[in-house]
C-alpha cells in the first residue's frame, strides 16, 4: 500500500500487542477479511453481524474491543470499504480502516471518486500480502470479491485503476483485468456461490445477482452457501467459518428497557431527518450517491408495550 495512505490508517491496524475480538460479517468479503485477519493478526472471532442482529459467542463475557470485518461501524474499530459520509461536514469514524473514510469521500462532493473495491484487497495491501505466486484463477477470485472487477468495465475504469495500482499497489491484479472480460469474473463468482443468480433482470435486461450469504442456524451455529472448499483450493489456504455457538448480543428484557437493532435502506435525507435513527446509528454505508443501508439501535420499553 502506498505509504501516504497506510500512514493514515488507525493505530489498531498495527497493534499486535493488545487483544481484540473479530466480528465476522455475512458475505464473501467479510469471510475472507476475517480469515486474513485471523492469520495475520488476531485469532479470536467472537462476534457475527448479519446487519439485522449482532451475535456473540454463547456464554462469552466480552473482555476485548471488537474489530468489524467488512463492516462500517459508525463508532469503534472496523475494516470497511463503503462511503460513510453524506457531506464533508459529517464526522467520520476515526477508527475506520476504510480508504474512502481516510480519503474523506462523501456522497455530495466527490462520490464518483470513491474506491469501489473490496475490503479484502485493502486488508491484503495494508499487510503487504504477496500475490506474485498466486495462480491466475486466484487473482481473478480476489477481484470477484465484492464485485471489485465491476468498475473496470464502466466509465470509472481509470478511477479504479488508480486505487488498485497506485494506492493498493497491485498491478498484477490490473493485469488480470486487462486479460479477461467481465463475464469471466461473473462466471467464476457464480461457480463458487459468491454470486447467486436471482432469475430477474435489471432495466437494461442484464441478469441480477445477490451475494452468497452466511447465517445463523436454529442451533446458533454458522452456515453458508458460499463454496468454502472451492475458495480454499483456489487460494491454497483454508477458508473456514468459526465453529462456535452464537446467541443474540441484544437480549429482550421483561421489566426494563432494552435495545434492539433495526435495519433499513433509505434516501440519505430521510436518514438525516430522522432524529432517532441519526442519534442511534450503529452501522452505515452509502450504497448509491443518494441512498444508504443502515442499522440503528431502537430502545424498547416493555412497560409501554
Amino acid at each position: 500500500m502506498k505509504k501516504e495512505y497506510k500512514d493514515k490508517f488507525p493505530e489498531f491496524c498495527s497493534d499486535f500487542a493488545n487483544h481484540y475480538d473479530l466480528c465476522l460479517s455475512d458475505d464473501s468479503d467479510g469471510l475472507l477479511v476475517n480469515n486474513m485477519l485471523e492469520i495475520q493478526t488476531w485469532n479470536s472471532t467472537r462476534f457475527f453481524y448479519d446487519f439485522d442482529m449482532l451475535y456473540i459467542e454463547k456464554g462469552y463475557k466480552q473482555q476485548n474491543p471488537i474489530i468489524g470485518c467488512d463492516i462500517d461501524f459508525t463508532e469503534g474499530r472496523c475494516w470497511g470499504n463503503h462511503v460513510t459520509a453524506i457531506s464533508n461536514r459529517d464526522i467520520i469514524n476515526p477508527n475506520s480502516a476504510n480508504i474512502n473514510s481516510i480519503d474523506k469521500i462523501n456522497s455530495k462532493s466527490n462520490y464518483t471518486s470513491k474506491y469501489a473495491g473490496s475490503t479484502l484487497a485493502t486488508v491484503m495491501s495494508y499487510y503487504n500480502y504477496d500475490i506474485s505466486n498466486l495462480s491466475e484463477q486466484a487473482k481473478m477470485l480476489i477481484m470477484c470479491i465484492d464485485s471489485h472487477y465491476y468498475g473496470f468495465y464502466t466509465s470509472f475504469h481509470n478511477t479504479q485503476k488508480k486505487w488498485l495500482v497506485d494506492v493498493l499497489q497491485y498491478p498484477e491484479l490490473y493485469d488480470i483485468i486487462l486479460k479477461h472480460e467481465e463475464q469471466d469474473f461473473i462466471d467464476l463468482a457464480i461457480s463458487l456461490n459468491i454470486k447467486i443468480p436471482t432469475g430477474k433482470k435489471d432495466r437494461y435486461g442484464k441478469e441480477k445477482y445477490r451475494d452468497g450469504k452466511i447465517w445463523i442456524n436454529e442451533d446458533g451455529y454458522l452456515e453458508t452457501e458460499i463454496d468454502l472448499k472451492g475458495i480454499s483450493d483456489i487460494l491454497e489456504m483454508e477458508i473456514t467459518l468459526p465453529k462456535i455457538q452464537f446467541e443474540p448480543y441484544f437480549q429482550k428484557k421483561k421489566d426494563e428497557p432494552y435495545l434492539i437493532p433495526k435495519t433499513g435502506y433509505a434516501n440519505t435525507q430521510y436518514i438525516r431527518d430522522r432524529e432517532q435513527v441519526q442519534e442511534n446509528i450503529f452501522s452505515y454505508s452509502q450504497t448509491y450517491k443518494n441512498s444508504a443501508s443502515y442499522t440503528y439501535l431502537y430502545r424498547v420499553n416493555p412497560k409501554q408495550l
Side-chain angles (χ1 to χ4, degrees):
M1 180 179 287
K2 190 174 183 179
K3 189 175 186 301
E4 173 190 340
Y5 280 86
K6 188 169 185 175
D7 288 348
K8 295 178 182 178
F9 271 64
E11 291 183 5
F12 81 84
C13 299
S14 57
D15 177 11
F16 307 132
N18 291 308
H19 296 286
Y20 296 98
D21 292 333
L22 298 180
C23 180
L24 170 68
S25 57
D26 69 345
D27 64 12
S28 60
D29 204 0
L31 172 69
L32 287 169
V33 167
N34 180 264
N35 276 257
M36 289 286 180
L37 290 180
E38 283 198 332
I39 293 169
Q40 184 70 43
T41 55
W42 309 278
N43 61 356
S44 56
T45 300
R46 304 285 193 178
F47 294 85
F48 173 68
Y49 182 46
D50 65 3
F51 299 89
D52 286 317
M53 174 58 76
L54 177 67
Y55 297 87
I56 186 172
E57 181 181 359
K58 189 171 183 179
Y60 176 65
K61 303 301 181 184
Q62 185 181 354
Q63 303 171 15
N64 309 310
I66 296 175
I67 295 177
C69 299
D70 189 39
I71 305 168
D72 287 299
F73 290 136
T74 54
E75 294 182 2
R77 300 162 181 82
C78 59
W79 287 88
N81 64 337
H82 286 280
V83 173
T84 60
I86 297 173
S87 75
N88 56 18
R89 296 189 304 274
D90 290 338
I91 297 173
I92 295 176
N93 179 2
N95 280 310
S96 173
N98 176 334
I99 287 177
N100 286 314
S101 296
I102 287 167
D103 217 40
K104 295 181 170 54
I105 304 294
N106 62 80
S107 64
K108 284 195 173 180
S109 61
N110 56 2
Y111 185 79
T112 56
S113 299
K114 71 174 183 175
Y115 167 68
S118 67
T119 303
L120 173 65
T122 304
V123 169
M124 292 173 63
S125 176
Y126 181 88
Y127 292 112
N128 301 315
Y129 188 86
D130 184 7
I131 65 171
S132 60
N133 294 321
L134 293 181
S135 68
E136 182 165 322
Q137 190 178 39
K139 292 173 185 174
M140 288 183 67
L141 171 56
I142 292 169
M143 294 304 293
C144 283
I145 303 304
D146 209 21
S147 300
H148 196 154
Y149 62 81
Y150 177 73
F152 294 92
Y153 300 97
T154 70
S155 60
F156 298 103
H157 180 106
N158 289 337
T159 301
Q160 297 315 312
K161 178 186 176 184
K162 179 202 78 170
W163 290 116
L164 185 62
V165 177
D166 299 338
V167 178
L168 298 187
Q169 298 185 329
Y170 276 142
E172 305 99 321
L173 295 180
Y174 184 65
D175 291 341
I176 292 295
I177 289 290
L178 296 179
K179 290 177 64 175
H180 291 275
E181 303 293 330
E182 181 181 9
Q183 192 61 45
D184 297 332
F185 295 98
I186 294 173
D187 291 343
L188 178 58
I190 291 173
S191 73
L192 297 167
N193 280 357
I194 292 170
K195 280 184 176 293
I196 311 287
T198 64
K200 299 177 181 179
K201 304 282 186 181
D202 64 18
R203 59 179 179 172
Y204 303 108
K206 295 182 68 174
E207 184 74 45
K208 294 181 72 174
Y209 305 93
R210 63 173 178 83
D211 292 330
K213 290 296 183 181
I214 302 166
W215 61 88
I216 297 278
N217 67 21
E218 292 181 356
D219 297 318
Y221 293 95
L222 293 174
E223 293 185 1
T224 186
E225 58 196 333
I226 300 167
D227 184 357
L228 301 183
K229 184 179 184 306
I231 293 174
S232 299
D233 289 345
I234 292 172
L235 293 179
E236 297 184 351
M237 62 180 291
E238 188 176 14
I239 302 300
T240 62
L241 289 175
K243 297 178 176 62
I244 56 178
Q245 191 174 21
F246 289 90
E247 61 184 358
Y249 182 82
F250 299 101
Q251 299 283 352
K252 293 183 178 180
K253 300 176 182 179
K254 293 182 179 180
D255 303 318
E256 60 181 292
Y258 60 90
L259 297 173
I260 57 171
K262 283 195 172 186
T263 298
Y265 182 83
N267 181 279
T268 50
Q269 194 59 49
Y270 168 88
I271 298 168
R272 174 158 283 182
D273 290 345
R274 289 294 298 274
E275 183 177 342
Q276 185 181 49
V277 173
Q278 188 72 3
E279 287 184 357
N280 297 294
I281 203 88
F282 181 66
S283 66
Y284 179 88
S285 301
Q286 290 278 153
T287 48
Y288 293 97
K289 184 175 182 179
N290 296 311
S291 56
S293 175
Y294 64 94
T295 301
Y296 73 102
L297 299 179
Y298 179 76
R299 187 176 181 84
V300 177
N301 189 341
K303 297 178 180 180
Q304 295 177 352
L305 296 178

